[in-house]
Amino acid sequence: MIWTLEPARWLMVATLGLLYALLCWRAYLPLRRKRQQARQARAAAQAAGWIVAHASQTGNAEQLAQQTAATLQLAGIAVHVLELSELDAATLQSAERALFIVSTYGEGDAPDAAAGFVARVMGAAVPLQQLHFGVLALGDSSYRQYCGFGRALDGWLQQQGAQPLFPRIEVDRMAAAALAAWRQQLSHLVGTSDAPDWSAPAFEAWTLQRRECVNSGSAGAPLYHLELLPQQGTLPDWQSGDLVQIAAPAEPERPREYSIASIPQDGSLHLLVRLHSHADGSHGVASGWLTQQVQAGQSIALRVRMHRRFRLEDNQARPLILIGNGSGIAGLRAHLKARALAGQTRNWLLFGERNAAYDTQYGAELAQWQAQGVLAQLDRVYSRDQAERRYVQHVLVEQMQRLREWVDDGAAIYVCGSLEGMAAGVHAALQAGLGAPALEALQAAGRYRRDVY
């Protein structure tokens, strides 16, 4: 058969069209799956009668929701657990009993897992006279807006006519006494004192192998790279994106959380800890102990905690856009290590610090990944190396067309670092560049994830 130029051109156009349709379908599938799961969740919630809804930033609220559901199920009560963003007004209006376990981050902000609910449901009047509810609000009393989102949710529910089963319970940094009060209320509701074990995994003894300041001379607070090994047994099998909790001797009842900066294949657990100093010159309890007091060879009480919302999960095969600043490089470094190990090279890192002369933590490693092709693009932004301050969000705006191309090609976006300034600025830039509905769709599909503090 002899092809003329015109049929060949039409064949090429048809092929390109088919490839584009396939790319669009691949990008749509996770969102379609998420919508199907939400429909199934609504049906299950309506059938069960009891809803346990959670909104978690680092996983604590989700874990407590699972434990709450287990207590109800032990008493023979049908219950469905779902993320708060999966809950819509119609499902809430059809339910008679609902328990909400929600965290707050920053100064009263709703966690990312609640963003959809806040936008779609809490912005309107929803008659809920039939609903009886309870709220467990997780927070940190060192912030001015302690338990801000839990209080806002409780107030909104009552404004809609819903009736509290008991007064709101507030939990300061997972305080045991407040959690015991929640369990007691559950016991009253279900009519039993028998309940599953709610205790968290025990802290284990780890040994500090090495510590090094990685930003000597910086205008910012000192940053220390730490390497640790368990004193007994082998390394736990964590994933990139997970956290550790560390109990400092001076305050063991208030463990601090840090992003893990390594993967198990590195042979040790890495952390990047910034020394926090108070106005009077004293140091933070945990950061001061980890960076100034404990010595190599000494013991640290530590436990690894899954951080499902910042894991790669369904995004392992996608292009990855990693955005962060400061000590946020820790969680992003772990993701890059996992990607390098898996042979995934569609990685783009945008990272901000103060000065190139002092703040290049893991710089040699990043340069090596770039040379090896693991990093397809690397944008390092130094805010104080020019007269006008320049931050990650500014580069993001300049690179928005490229970012749209990556997102259209199925990329996921991971943000790690400070909530004030960086994360808020990045979120605003993404909203402006992609559009609020598109960003919400990415979040619903698990393609926009944040670990911010």
Side-chain angles (χ1 to χ4, degrees):
M1 184 176 187
I2 299 174
W3 288 90
T4 64
L5 181 60
E6 196 61 29
R9 183 181 292 123
W10 279 111
L11 178 61
M12 182 178 69
V13 170
T15 302
L16 289 174
L18 178 61
L19 288 174
Y20 180 75
L22 287 173
L23 286 174
C24 292
W25 177 250
R26 190 180 72 174
Y28 172 70
L29 276 177
L31 182 57
R32 181 171 177 265
R33 189 184 311 122
K34 190 81 173 178
R35 288 172 177 170
Q36 287 175 338
Q37 291 171 347
R39 285 195 295 268
Q40 292 168 357
R42 287 194 294 269
Q46 290 167 354
W50 278 77
I51 292 174
V52 175
H54 60 85
S56 185
Q57 192 66 29
T58 62
N60 286 326
E62 182 178 4
Q63 181 181 10
L64 289 170
Q66 296 293 346
Q67 292 169 329
T68 296
T71 300
L72 296 174
Q73 289 164 347
L74 191 67
I77 295 174
V79 60
H80 190 75
V81 183
L82 70 166
E83 191 174 88
L84 189 57
S85 282
E86 298 173 348
L87 185 60
D88 61 18
T91 304
L92 200 55
Q93 286 181 302
S94 67
E96 296 181 1
R97 300 285 188 274
L99 299 175
F100 299 88
I101 299 122
V102 299
S103 64
T104 295
Y105 80 98
E107 289 297 347
D109 295 321
D112 290 347
F117 183 83
V118 173
R120 288 182 283 99
V121 183
M122 287 184 68
V126 182
L128 296 174
Q129 286 81 3
Q130 88 297 339
L131 183 67
H132 294 75
F133 74 95
V135 172
L136 182 67
L138 310 184
D140 182 339
S141 60
S142 65
Y143 288 90
R144 291 190 303 274
Q145 300 297 328
Y146 171 57
C147 290
F149 178 62
R151 293 175 178 179
L153 176 62
D154 185 31
W156 179 83
L157 288 166
Q158 294 194 53
Q159 288 170 9
Q160 311 314 306
Q163 304 168 55
L165 293 161
F166 46 83
R168 179 184 66 249
I169 295 176
E170 298 181 348
V171 186
D172 185 10
R173 289 192 180 185
M174 298 296 287
L179 293 178
W182 177 257
R183 291 197 301 272
Q184 185 178 29
Q185 291 292 351
L186 290 180
S187 297
H188 290 325
L189 288 176
V190 302
T192 178
S193 59
D194 189 16
D197 182 14
W198 283 45
S199 59
F203 284 92
E204 296 180 347
W206 288 60
T207 300
L208 177 63
Q209 299 292 306
R210 188 169 79 90
R211 180 177 59 214
E212 176 188 4
C213 182
V214 296
N215 67 336
S216 296
S218 173
L223 267 174
Y224 290 85
H225 171 85
L226 283 69
E227 298 181 8
L228 306 99
L229 284 173
Q231 291 184 3
Q232 308 236 340
T234 59
L235 284 172
D237 189 23
W238 72 84
Q239 294 184 27
S240 62
D242 285 347
L243 307 168
V244 297
Q245 292 182 323
I246 290 180
E251 221 170 49
E253 73 285 354
R254 300 184 73 181
R256 306 312 200 267
E257 293 188 334
Y258 297 94
S259 299
I260 302 176
S262 60
I263 56 177
Q265 289 81 356
D266 289 317
S268 59
L269 189 148
H270 300 178
L271 302 177
L272 189 63
V273 179
R274 189 179 293 279
L275 176 61
H276 179 71
S277 297
H278 300 295
D280 62 2
S282 63
H283 294 147
V285 171
S287 67
W289 178 65
L290 285 170
T291 65
Q292 306 295 304
Q293 298 172 27
V294 65
Q295 299 300 313
Q298 292 184 335
S299 182
I300 292 175
L302 178 151
R303 65 186 175 206
V304 175
R305 193 166 74 75
M306 179 180 72
H307 187 188
R308 187 183 63 83
R309 292 193 61 81
F310 205 64
R311 285 183 166 186
L312 293 178
E313 295 189 326
D314 292 342
N315 296 322
Q316 293 186 46
R318 293 181 178 279
L320 219 60
I321 302 169
L322 304 168
I323 306 171
N325 73 330
S327 59
I329 191 66
L332 304 182
R333 178 185 187 239
H335 281 324
L336 284 170
K337 283 177 168 288
R339 300 279 285 180
L341 186 66
Q344 296 286 347
T345 59
R346 290 293 307 279
N347 305 301
W348 176 7
L349 175 64
L350 300 97
F351 192 76
E353 258 291 1
R354 289 176 173 82
N355 300 105
Y358 307 107
D359 302 299
T360 55
Q361 51 270 24
Y362 306 129
E365 197 171 49
L366 295 177
Q368 184 179 14
W369 279 330
Q370 194 174 22
Q372 293 171 343
V374 173
L375 266 174
Q377 183 165 339
L378 173 60
D379 290 293
R380 284 187 281 199
V381 189
Y382 296 101
S383 60
R384 304 190 181 191
D385 279 357
Q386 58 281 313
E388 187 175 350
R389 295 291 167 87
R390 181 172 166 80
Y391 300 105
V392 169
Q393 52 266 37
H394 297 138
V395 175
L396 197 61
V397 171
E398 296 165 3
Q399 297 274 8
M400 189 54 66
Q401 180 56 41
R402 181 183 293 271
L403 185 135
R404 289 194 199 100
E405 292 170 0
W406 276 58
V407 170
D408 288 344
D409 198 27
I413 303 170
Y414 282 70
V415 181
C416 191
S418 60
L419 172 63
E420 296 298 327
M422 187 280 296
V426 165
H427 188 79
L430 290 172
Q431 273 193 326
L434 300 176
L439 190 60
E440 184 179 338
L442 287 175
Q443 191 170 50
R447 290 174 54 195
Y448 176 41
R449 303 188 180 208
R450 303 197 300 171
D451 180 11
V452 294
Y453 39 85

